[in-house]
Amino acid sequence: MNEHGEDLVLVRRESGEEIPVRAFLQPFLKEREDLPVTATPLGAVSDQRWLYIGPAATELEPGDWIRFQDKCYAVQEAMTICFRRRALYGRAILRRKKKGGKL
């Protein structure tokens, strides 16, 4: 994982602590008709919901933030994916923060 993904910053909701993390961040494929979408080679994707996949050692919690380039994403739900009691990676659903601070 250290060689792949993007350099992101995890901002903890409770403390404001900033933690650098290397992870994957990509928009969700469109699932509902009412979401704003953008056409890509993969199909229609949501402009609002994003998928985070990162190291299991960096646990995300709802309310934390991910900062990437000049954009912020709020963690809505997060879980650690395990196989045979071994943590493999962290997975989270993020919502893009709009300008002005609102989701």
Side-chain angles (χ1 to χ4, degrees):
M1 177 90 52
N2 290 338
E3 300 172 9
H4 305 287
E6 303 286 348
D7 290 320
L8 312 172
V9 176
L10 166 62
V11 181
R12 294 288 185 199
R13 174 189 60 175
E14 296 293 324
S15 65
E17 176 185 10
E18 296 187 1
I19 303 166
V21 62
R22 190 150 183 91
F24 294 96
L25 186 64
Q26 69 180 43
F28 263 95
L29 292 178
K30 180 183 171 214
E31 294 180 6
R32 296 184 294 193
E33 294 297 323
D34 59 342
L35 292 176
V37 297
T38 302
T40 71
L42 298 175
V45 296
S46 168
D47 290 336
Q48 295 179 355
R49 293 174 14 139
W50 291 72
L51 174 66
Y52 164 98
I53 297 178
T58 306
E59 292 186 29
L60 277 64
E61 296 181 12
D64 289 344
W65 290 91
I66 296 292
R67 193 170 60 230
F68 175 60
Q69 296 176 346
D70 62 344
K71 297 175 180 68
C72 290
Y73 305 86
V75 177
Q76 290 191 305
E77 54 185 83
M79 65 176 57
T80 301
I81 306 300
C82 299
F83 180 72
R84 296 186 179 174
R85 299 184 186 180
R86 180 174 178 237
L88 299 178
Y89 61 93
R91 177 186 184 277
I93 296 174
L94 313 176
R95 182 164 297 272
R96 186 168 168 193
K97 181 180 174 184
K98 294 180 182 176
K99 290 185 180 181
K102 294 187 179 182
L103 292 174

